[in-house]
Structures are given as C-alpha cells and as structure tokens.
Amino acid sequence: MKTAEEEKRHAEIWRQLRSTTELHAASWQRLQAWRARLPHALLLSGARGLGKQDLARAFAASLLCESLQINGSACGECAACHWFEQGNHPDFRMLTKEVSMKAMDKEKSVKAGVSTDKDEKEEKSNRSGQEIIIDRVRELDEFFAVGSHRQKSRIILIYPAESLNAAAANAILKVLEEPPANTLFLLVSNEPMRLLPTLRSRCQNLAVPLPDAREAAAFLGASGLNEAATWLALAGGAPGLAIQLAAKTTDWAAPLTDALQRGDRLEVIATAANLEKALKAVKGENPLPMFMDWTQKWLVDLNLAVQHLPIRFYLAQRAKIEALAQKSQPVKLTRFYRQLLQLRRESEHPLNLRLFLEQFFFRYRALFVES
Ligand SMILES: [Zn+2]
C-alpha cells in the first residue's frame, strides 16, 4: 500500500510526463512514428528548458510500458511503469552529469590517498559534475551483456548529451558501430553542435520547437506556478526554464526590476548596497550570472521599445520600459550593451561585488541622463 504522500508523488510524476507530451504534441507524434521501427539512436535537441528530458522520459516509459495507452503514453500503473518511476527498471539506464556512486567511492579513495593518477583528470572533472565520463559508459557493458529483461527495448537516456566528454562520446560511438539489438540511445541536448559530428550523424534527429505561448502558460499554471505568463516571457518561452527562474530568483528579483525601472532617478549607492545584501544571502551557486541575464533581457526590451517594437521579456513592466525608451538613444544603448557583455564575463568571478554593482548601475543610469 502506498501512503497518501507516495500516491500524490506518483500521480504528479505521470501527470507531468503526460502533460509534457501534450504540450509538445507534434514532437510526440514524430516519436510515436519511430516506435514501429526504432532507430539505434535518437537525438532530441532544442532550447534549454523546453522539457526535452521529460519528453524523452515519457517516450522511454512508453516503450517499456506493458499496458500501453491508446495515445501511445505509458499507463503509469503496470509493473514496468512502477520500476521506471522508482528508477530501477532493469532495461533502462540514465547517464547524466551527476556524480555516480562508483565515482563517489573513488573520490573517497582519492581523499584517502590511495588513488593512482591514471584517471586523475577525469576524476577532477567528474567531481565538479561538469561532464559525463567514460566510466559511466563502461558501466553499460554489463547492461549489454544480458538480454532485455522484459522482452522489450533497452533504453539509455543521455542528458545533456553535450556534456559527454571526448572519451565517453567515443565509447558510445563504438557501441553504435555495432549496435546491440533492441537497444535505443536517447540523446537529449541543448547544444547539439557541441556533440561529436560523427555521433550526431549516427542519430535520427528530432528538433523540439518552442511550444505555443498560451499552451505553455496553461501547462505552467497546471504545474502550480503563479504568474506563469510573466515567468514564461522572461524564460524566452521555455517552460522548464520558467520554473527554474521562478525557483532560483527570489529576494533580488524585485529590487532589481524596481531599480531598473527608475532610470535616471536611480540611487546608485543605496541600490548597490541593497542588492549586494540580497545577492550575498543566496545560498549555493553564484547568482550574479543570472542577475546579469536578467539585466541583459531588460536591455533587449529597452532596445526593442526604442525601435517601437513589441517587448519580449518584461511584459508586466511594458509601460515603464516604453517611458524609459523615450529618454534614451540607440547609440547609447549599443555602447552600454557592449559594456554589459564585458560585465557579464566579470560576473563569473567578481572581485568586489559592491563595486561591481555600483559600476553597473552608474553606467545604466547614464543611459537616461542628458550628456
Ligand atoms: Zn505501464
């Protein structure tokens, strides 16, 4: 028996997968068309945060499901779906940037000083979780050694595929040269041009487009996101990214938007102090690159407004942006945009956050001041 909590989680997982296939209905139909004659490798590519990984997971689940629904979706209730949900279906493997248990054990032995330096480079990159390393591909050997457990396909989902390092990508290429029977590699990539061209050419390609904005907003609303249209616009139309933005952007978002819309009335010193505090309160990764993304989007909107074009991101602040646009000039905006790109690079490792913010806001305010 499942507890109420488990039941809720179970329902939510399958609801999420099903609504992703509805949101990307055209892509889902193309995937279904491949079902009759499954290729050895499929590459789903498209902008970050579209829901490609969920789409791939929904497809994998539908291939494993033992009681397929009429629209091609997994049932969510059979034994295979149950294992899939628990992450232990014997015919499914997932390769991601996460550090594997094996690698963690190795890391422990590195700390204990019993490591050889042979794989030291890989260990190092793996510790930061930035790459999918060859060890993960080697772990698939035993997966291939035995036949499919449930007389269906074996599936390996790789996400994001561009983080396969060279050795790992070559190892997969090798497998694809003599592909094991009934085995599907499902590669998911935000940046397919970073994949080995030889690997890319071995895959059937599915480019997943941006979903319709209204449907995406409804999808987000159903997932429990407030102000879905606003977040969706800020995410450039990618629903998964909208959820991430909403989750990661907390205390500094409102003061930043407030400061930006003040234009020439911006109080630089006080604003910088205020935002420094909010940014420093963020736990985990450095929030400054995201902060800079937000300001870059604001500038894109301002630039559009200067040209009397509809803005794209800050829909809720449209009137303010249009008013600011009247005080600025295209030549100043272009110059500032270049400075912004420079600041964007510095934001990865700012030496002094307060100075960085002051410098940024002084330059921003100058956009609206007669000179
Ligand atoms: Zn099922």
Side-chain angles (χ1 to χ4, degrees), residues 14 61-62 64-69 73-82:
W14 294 99
S62 82
L64 298 168
C65 176
E66 289 162 6
S67 177
L68 198 64
Q69 303 295 286
S73 293
C75 73
E77 302 297 338
C78 70
C81 284
H82 176 73

Side-chain angles (χ1 to χ4, degrees), residues 173-292:
L173 204 53
K174 201 141 215 160
V175 179
L176 284 174
E177 277 163 13
E178 282 177 68
N182 295 328
T183 303
L184 171 68
F185 281 88
L186 257 177
L187 282 71
V188 179
S189 176
N190 302 319
E191 298 173 77
M193 296 318 280
R194 281 179 53 204
L195 293 178
L196 276 185
T198 39
L199 183 56
R200 218 167 44 225
S201 68
R202 291 246 170 211
C203 299
Q204 296 280 338
N205 284 287
L206 175 63
V208 181
L210 275 183
D212 172 80
R214 218 173 312 162
E215 284 174 31
F219 167 88
L220 289 173
S223 310
L225 185 72
N226 294 323
E227 297 175 64
T230 302
W231 291 111
L232 189 66
L234 278 168
L241 195 58
I243 291 173
Q244 275 179 28
L245 285 179
K248 279 190 183 172
T249 310
T250 47
D251 294 344
W252 53 265
L256 172 62
T257 314
D258 182 60
L260 291 172
Q261 63 192 19
R262 282 174 190 271
D264 53 341
R265 290 181 299 106
L266 179 71
E267 289 179 35
V268 173
I269 303 295
T271 304
N274 196 4
L275 275 160
E276 182 196 25
K277 214 157 82 189
L279 286 165
K280 280 195 166 159
V282 176
K283 303 261 183 297
E285 57 185 289
N286 171 16
L288 211 46
M290 191 186 255
F291 176 94
M292 295 308 291

Side-chain angles (χ1 to χ4, degrees), residues 135-182:
D135 283 11
R136 300 301 317 278
V137 183
R138 288 197 190 118
E139 285 165 17
L140 295 173
D141 283 351
E142 52 189 290
F143 182 59
F144 295 134
V146 289
S148 143
H149 287 79
R150 306 287 289 185
Q151 285 70 49
K152 288 187 172 270
S153 308
R154 281 178 300 200
I155 301 160
I156 302 105
L157 198 159
I158 305 177
Y159 174 83
E162 63 270 19
S163 59
L164 284 165
N165 71 14
N170 275 309
I172 286 177
L173 204 53
K174 201 141 215 160
V175 179
L176 284 174
E177 277 163 13
E178 282 177 68
N182 295 328

Side-chain angles (χ1 to χ4, degrees), residues 14 43 106 108 119 136 160 170 218 240 246 339 353:
W14 294 99
L43 170 61
K106 265 197 185 169
K108 273 183 214 150
D119 290 332
R136 300 301 317 278
N170 275 309
Q339 293 171 341
L353 183 56

Side-chain angles (χ1 to χ4, degrees), residues 77 132 167 196 296 324:
E77 302 297 338
I132 300 174
L196 276 185
Q296 224 167 317
L324 282 175

